[in-house]
Amino acid sequence: MRRLLALLAMALLPAAVLTAYGQQLPTDGPLTLRPLLQQLGERLLKGKTGAIVAINPANGEILCLATNTPQGPDVRQAIGKPLAPGSTFKTAQALTLLSEGIITPQTQVNCVNGVTDGNIKVGCHKHRSPLALKDALAQSCNTWFLMTFASMINDDFMYESRDEAITTWRSYMQSMGLGGPMHIDIAGEQGGLLAGADYLNRRYKDGWDGRTIWWVGMGQGDVTCTPLQLCNLAVTIANRGSYFVPHIHKNTQNQRYLTRRQTKVKPEAYAPVVEGMRLAVEKGTATSIRTTYPICGKTGTIENPGADHSAFIGFAPMNDPKIAVAVYVEHGGFGADLAAPMAGLVIETYLKGKLSAASEARARRIAAKVIKR
């Protein structure tokens, strides 16, 4: 099958039908995809299994929908294959915890190489301790997010039961476009998993609490998202609390895609999270994409059988966002080492119109990297 870029170019013809391994994308006009971004995304994903999604925060238009699998491009890799989001999900956790008053931007948690609960040990990379929220995001502290998430679920003062706590938590996540299909204008979209009370009561028949499911605090365990959903999460943060349902048809008249939607997150919660994402690029886990224009981002390294998955979400510029990006590469290793640089190249191409010589050299190195499952 031809590269997805060639198929997408056909969308300029009225009533064209694009097919990406069984997934049809019928169009009645031009698509929103940007050829330069699409071409770059496909080049970067060569020899890898993953997806790169970019969205214009101002209107929900999908700017890039590049995918690759061992069989070739497949749009389902971006919209129909939910996987654990890893530490990219810590942004949504922070917004929820702040909104519910479980934490403040000044809340500190001690972390010395991780946390132990009975015979369970969750590691964390070395960083100074204790950390407050912005540094916890920048350094991607697992302990900080495990402990604060568990404290919300176990809070018997604010919530009458664990069921009420997790239901409240889930409602915030759903308002950010997570957990279920957003009903984009592409066939084959899947939702993902957000642990709810019914699900948890079925799974943990002997009972559960915040410690039972604390892995969710760091984006593992009972939570999965698609790359499209992760990109939309970045959009909601870029817009400080709103988004348009992502769509691929340009000049759509469908009100579903023209209606601005608000998250449940309190407006004041966004500033410290945005600052933490900016700090991640300036001094934290994503310094590999530090540049003259302010990028805000969050890396993710997802544990699974075999090599870790590599993920990143971000947007730029910080206070005038033009693009939000999500990158997810299966078995790609640390989010900082692969997904973040890939996202940085997509952002640079969109904002600058081309890659610098140094960035082009980086793109060639990434494109040459082959990841075997």
Side-chain angles (χ1 to χ4, degrees), residues 36-353:
L36 277 179
L37 299 189
Q38 194 68 24
Q39 185 178 31
L40 173 63
E42 292 188 1
R43 181 159 66 111
L44 297 175
L45 287 169
K46 184 178 179 181
K48 308 166 187 68
T49 297
I52 300 174
V53 183
I55 295 173
N56 182 345
N59 54 24
E61 291 184 351
I62 299 174
L63 305 172
C64 178
L65 193 63
T67 63
N68 198 40
T69 73
Q71 292 74 41
D74 187 339
V75 71
R76 290 170 294 192
Q77 190 72 29
I79 71 171
K81 188 178 182 181
L83 295 166
S87 294
T88 62
F89 194 66
K90 291 172 180 175
T91 56
Q93 292 284 33
L95 292 168
T96 300
L97 295 166
L98 284 165
S99 296
E100 281 294 283
I102 303 298
I103 63 167
T104 71
Q106 292 74 42
T107 297
Q108 295 189 335
V109 175
N110 285 302
C111 174
V112 182
N113 299 325
V115 60
T116 301
D117 182 39
N119 61 353
I120 299 175
K121 166 76 173 180
V122 182
C124 192
H125 54 275
K126 290 184 178 180
H127 56 70
R128 62 182 178 82
S129 179
L131 296 178
L133 173 60
K134 288 186 290 186
D135 286 308
L137 283 168
Q139 300 300 327
S140 199
C141 176
N142 291 334
T143 304
W144 200 99
F145 287 94
L146 291 175
M147 299 300 289
T148 54
F149 171 66
S151 70
M152 175 181 176
I153 303 305
N154 289 340
D155 192 324
D156 55 11
F157 177 78
M158 287 193 63
Y159 311 106
E160 292 185 359
S161 65
R162 304 282 186 265
D163 283 13
E164 182 187 350
I166 198 67
T167 299
T168 301
W169 171 87
R170 193 168 185 266
S171 69
Y172 279 96
M173 298 299 165
Q174 290 175 318
S175 79
M176 292 181 249
L178 304 172
M182 289 182 285
H183 304 291
I184 63 173
D185 55 349
I186 306 173
E189 183 191 8
Q190 297 294 318
L193 171 64
L194 282 177
D198 290 344
Y199 167 89
L200 293 171
N201 291 330
R202 289 195 306 270
R203 179 172 183 185
Y204 302 105
K205 297 185 183 302
D206 295 330
W208 56 274
D209 62 12
R211 289 299 179 93
T212 311
I213 60 171
W214 67 348
W215 303 99
V216 174
M218 54 184 278
Q220 302 258 183
D222 299 309
V223 57
T224 61
C225 306
T226 64
L228 173 76
Q229 290 175 326
L230 290 178
C231 190
N232 190 69
L233 171 60
V235 167
T236 69
I237 302 171
N239 288 339
R240 279 62 165 180
S242 68
Y243 71 97
F244 293 89
V245 174
H247 52 281
I248 202 169
H249 291 82
K250 197 166 184 64
N251 303 320
T252 180
Q253 298 303 307
N254 189 326
Q255 287 302 306
R256 174 183 294 280
Y257 309 114
L258 300 176
T259 302
R260 185 180 291 273
R261 298 161 191 265
Q262 296 294 140
T263 71
K264 187 179 176 180
V265 175
K266 291 184 177 179
E268 59 269 24
Y270 283 98
V273 172
V274 169
E275 291 170 10
M277 294 175 71
R278 178 64 187 141
L279 193 61
V281 176
E282 282 294 295
K283 299 180 179 179
T285 59
T287 54
S288 63
I289 60 170
R290 185 171 53 203
T291 185
T292 54
Y293 46 88
I295 299 175
C296 298
K298 183 70 195 74
T299 56
T301 304
I302 298 91
E303 297 178 6
N304 67 100
D308 294 338
H309 298 331
S310 178
F312 178 87
I313 64 171
F315 61 89
M318 176 178 178
N319 293 318
D320 185 23
K322 304 296 185 185
I323 184 172
V325 179
V327 177
Y328 202 109
V329 180
E330 295 183 30
H331 309 291
F334 292 115
D337 292 344
L338 187 61
M342 291 169 75
L345 293 170
V346 171
I347 292 171
E348 180 180 343
T349 298
Y350 187 68
L351 295 182
K352 300 294 185 180

